[in-house]
Amino acid sequence: MVGLGPRKQRSRRGSMTDVPDDLLDQIKKLEKLFTVDQAKLKEVTNHFVKELEKGLSVEGGVIPMNVTWVMGFPDGNETGTFLALDMGGTNLRVCEIILPEEKGEFDIIQSKYRMPEDLKSGTSEELWEYIADCIQQFIEAHHEAESLDTIPLGFTFSFPATQDYIDHGVLQRWTKGFDIDGVEGKDVVPLFEAALTKRGLPIKLTALINDTTGTLIASAYTDNAMKIGCIFGTGCNAAYMENCGSIPKIAHMNLPPDMPIAINCEYGAFDSEHVVLPRTSYDIVIDRDSPRPNQQAFEKMIAGLYLGELFRLVLLDIHEKGEIKIFEGQDVSKLQKPYTLDSSFLSLIEEDPFENLSETHDLILNRLGLKTNKPELELCRRLAELIGTRAARLSACGVAAICKKKNIESCHVGADGSVFNKYPHFKARGAQALREILDWKKGQKDLVDIRAAEDGSGVGAALIAALTIKRIQEGNMAGIKNK
C-alpha cells in the first residue's frame, strides 16, 4: 500500500449508510429547506444595504440605526481612571478601569453582583437604590478611607433606549425579563443619579452606552483595523462608524459632514416586513407565537434564543405527521414544550465526536426522555448542522452589508456573544459566507476577518466615557446634555 498517502478520515456523511431511504429523503428535504446558497446570500445583503440607508433617513425604516453620540475611535492615548457599570439580565458588574500612559493598554478591577429576581418586577426606586448600593460597596472595598475626586462613569444599559444625548437615554421597553412600572418612556439617567447623590458618591455619569457600541470601541482600542462591532448571542446586533454627512436624520444639527459618529444598528429587526429572508414554515411559527410577532425577523433566524426552538419544531413536526416513524411509541411531552431547548443543545450535538453519536443519544435521553436509534441520531445531527450553518451564513449578511455600504474592502470585525464564542464552526461558516457574498478570489485570505472582541460592556464603556470627556475639553458639545 505504498504511495496512497494517509487514510482519509471517514466523514460524518459516510455514516448515512445506516439510514433508511424514507429518512434519507426527509434529510434531503430539510437540506433543501435550510440551505442558503450564494445567490440568496447576495440578495439578502443587497436588501440589507438599502435598509441600513433607510434607517439613517429622516423617515426612518425597520432597522432603527440609533445615533450613539460616540464620535470617533480611540487613538490609544486615552488616560485616566473610570468606572464602568454593566447592567444585564442576571448580573450587575461594576468595574474600575485604569487607562495608563502605555498606548492601547488597560488595567481592570471588577466585581459582580447578582440581580435579584424580585427586583425585576419591583419598583423603579428599588432598582436604582440596589444598583447604587452595589457601586457604594465596590468603592468602599477598593478605596476605603480614600478621598476621591469625581470619577467619570460609563453605563452599559443593554435595553432598547433612544438617545438625543450621550449622557441620557429614554427606555423604550424592558427586555431580559424586567417589568418595572414607571421607567418605560422615561430618561433613566436622572433616576440613577438621584440614587448616587443620596449616598454622596463622587461619581458623574458621562456616557450611557449599548453593549454593541462598547464592543466596537473596546476592540478598536487594541486593534486599529477594527471597523465593526457585532453581537451574536441571545440576540444579534452590530455597530459601526458612519459620517455625519451620510445621516439625513441629524442633518439639522449642521455637524461637519466628515465627522465620524457610531451607529448602533439594532439590526435584529431587519426584514420584519418579510421581503427577502428565506423563512421556512417553522420560522413563521416561531414569529407567530413570539411575544412580538412581525418584529426582530432577522434575530429570530440567527440568534441563540431561537435555534433550539427551530430544532424542536422540526422534530415534532416530523413525528406528528407520521409519514416517517421517529420516536415511535414514546412519550414526546417534553418535546412538545416550547423553548425547552436552546442553542447549547445544538452545540453539544455538533460537538459529539463519536461515530455512533453516543453523546447525542445520552443528551436526548436526559433532556427529552426519548430513546433514539442510529438513523434518528443521524437525522438530529444533520438537522443541528443545517440550522447552525444557516444561522452563521445569514449572520454574515449583516457584516457584508455594512462593508458594502461603507466601501470597506478589508477590516477586522470584533464579535462577542455566546453563539459566536461557543457554537462549533460558527466563525468558519460565517467566513465562508462572507467569501461568497464579497466574491473573494480562491486562495485569497479573508479580507474581512471576524475575531473575538474585547470587553465591550466594561472597557468599552470606560473608553467611551474617556472619549466624551476629551471632546468636551475640545469644545465639541454635540449630543452632550450635562456639560
Side-chain angles (χ1 to χ4, degrees):
M1 299 294 283
V2 179
L4 293 178
R7 188 175 169 204
K8 208 175 167 189
Q9 261 195 319
R10 194 175 170 205
S11 74
R12 287 284 334 149
R13 293 284 189 91
S15 33
M16 291 289 179
T17 48
D18 305 331
V19 179
D21 288 347
D22 59 348
L23 208 50
L24 268 179
D25 287 343
Q26 180 62 59
I27 288 169
K28 281 178 186 153
K29 280 180 194 166
L30 292 172
E31 286 173 345
K32 195 173 176 187
L33 201 58
F34 284 100
T35 299
V36 186
D37 64 15
Q38 183 181 23
K40 190 62 179 177
L41 288 174
K42 287 185 171 187
E43 186 191 352
V44 171
T45 303
N46 290 337
H47 187 63
F48 218 129
V49 175
K50 289 177 195 160
E51 290 298 307
L52 295 175
E53 285 167 351
K54 207 186 279 184
L56 296 172
S57 70
V58 176
E59 302 76 29
V62 174
I63 304 177
M65 302 296 279
N66 293 333
V67 176
T68 66
W69 306 107
V70 176
M71 293 177 147
F73 286 114
D75 59 15
N77 297 314
E78 291 73 19
T79 57
T81 300
F82 302 87
L83 286 179
L85 176 65
D86 176 13
M87 178 180 164
T90 47
N91 293 314
L92 187 73
R93 184 166 62 119
V94 183
C95 316
E96 180 176 287
I97 288 133
I98 297 163
L99 304 176
E101 297 292 334
E102 293 83 11
K103 196 168 181 173
E105 297 290 320
F106 61 85
D107 295 310
I108 183 166
I109 306 162
Q110 56 186 325
S111 297
K112 270 187 182 176
Y113 305 87
R114 174 63 71 188
M115 190 67 85
E117 281 302 315
D118 58 342
L119 211 63
K120 294 181 184 182
S121 53
T123 67
S124 169
E125 190 179 2
E126 284 167 348
L127 173 71
W128 303 114
E129 292 284 327
Y130 177 75
I131 292 170
D133 278 342
C134 293
I135 295 171
Q136 186 167 16
Q137 282 176 43
F138 181 86
I139 297 278
E140 285 169 356
H142 298 289
H143 296 282
E144 196 179 358
E146 285 181 49
S147 175
L148 296 173
D149 291 331
T150 301
I151 308 171
L153 177 135
F155 183 1
T156 302
F157 185 71
S158 297
F159 300 87
T162 46
Q163 288 186 271
D164 293 327
Y165 307 94
I166 197 164
D167 50 355
H168 109 140
V170 174
L171 176 69
Q172 291 166 318
R173 64 179 183 279
W174 284 117
T175 56
K176 300 181 172 75
F178 281 78
D179 188 17
I180 299 169
D181 281 343
V183 186
E184 290 184 343
K186 291 200 175 146
D187 184 354
V188 299
V189 173
L191 304 170
F192 172 56
E193 285 182 329
L196 294 179
T197 304
K198 192 172 166 184
R199 284 161 181 71
L201 293 170
I203 292 166
K204 174 171 170 50
L205 187 141
T206 307
L208 186 80
I209 74 151
N210 171 278
D211 56 351
T212 316
T213 313
T215 296
L216 170 68
I217 297 301
S219 299
Y221 180 65
T222 56
D223 177 357
N224 58 17
M226 287 285 177
K227 296 284 181 275
I228 301 168
C230 287
I231 304 287
F232 302 118
T234 312
C236 68
N237 195 14
Y240 74 101
M241 223 36 97
E242 189 53 90
N243 296 326
C244 289
S246 301
I247 312 172
K249 65 183 176 185
I250 59 166
H252 62 281
M253 296 193 69
N254 298 316
L255 298 167
D258 58 351
M259 181 182 281
I261 191 163
I263 298 293
N264 165 29
C265 300
E266 293 291 355
Y267 71 18
F270 168 65
D271 200 37
S272 291
E273 297 133 321
H274 312 310
V275 175
V276 74
L277 286 171
R279 295 201 307 162
T280 66
S281 58
Y282 307 108
D283 297 298
I284 291 165
V285 169
I286 283 179
D287 184 44
R288 184 195 69 202
D289 296 346
S290 70
R292 296 175 190 268
N294 296 316
Q295 291 183 29
Q296 302 301 102
F298 188 53
E299 186 166 280
K300 284 169 184 166
M301 292 181 79
I302 72 168
L305 181 62
Y306 304 100
L307 301 185
E309 179 64 0
L310 203 52
F311 181 86
R312 183 192 74 82
L313 285 170
V314 175
L315 286 185
L316 188 62
D317 183 48
I318 293 169
H319 172 77
E320 287 180 344
K321 276 183 179 161
E323 293 165 14
I324 292 144
K325 305 293 182 209
I326 62 167
F327 318 136
E328 213 175 349
Q330 297 189 66
D331 175 9
V332 293
S333 55
K334 286 185 179 173
L335 189 65
Q336 288 168 330
K337 191 180 172 195
Y339 291 94
T340 199
L341 307 175
D342 61 13
S343 60
S344 67
F345 187 84
L346 275 67
S347 293
L348 290 167
I349 292 175
E350 285 218 51
E351 281 173 339
D352 187 344
F354 297 107
E355 193 62 35
N356 66 357
L357 296 173
S358 57
E359 288 186 356
T360 305
H361 175 278
D362 296 347
L363 179 70
I364 293 170
L365 184 61
N366 293 336
R367 195 76 71 87
L368 297 171
L370 295 169
K371 288 181 181 170
T372 42
N373 58 34
K374 185 72 184 342
E376 289 167 347
L377 290 170
E378 290 295 349
L379 168 70
C380 291
R381 171 68 169 227
R382 189 68 188 118
L383 179 58
E385 287 172 353
L386 288 167
I387 290 170
T389 301
R390 188 187 73 162
R393 284 173 70 78
L394 286 175
S395 75
C397 295
V399 174
I402 293 170
C403 291
K404 287 186 87 162
K405 187 196 177 306
K406 293 294 296 172
N407 294 316
I408 298 169
E409 285 188 11
S410 174
C411 74
H412 292 164
V413 177
D416 204 353
S418 54
V419 173
F420 179 80
N421 290 324
K422 294 178 183 170
Y423 199 98
H425 319 301
F426 188 87
K427 184 178 187 296
R429 289 163 175 170
Q432 175 57 35
L434 279 175
R435 180 169 287 282
E436 291 173 38
I437 298 165
L438 299 172
D439 291 317
W440 298 333
K441 292 182 179 73
K442 200 173 179 182
Q444 194 173 16
K445 70 176 181 69
D446 290 355
L447 297 174
V448 177
D449 186 3
I450 305 180
R451 308 176 159 207
E454 290 290 345
D455 169 20
S457 46
V459 177
L463 282 163
I464 290 169
L467 289 169
T468 305
I469 290 166
K470 193 168 158 186
R471 68 184 182 86
I472 290 171
Q473 290 164 351
E474 291 166 356
N476 177 1
M477 302 301 187
I480 298 171
K481 192 173 188 181
N482 302 315
K483 315 296 191 272

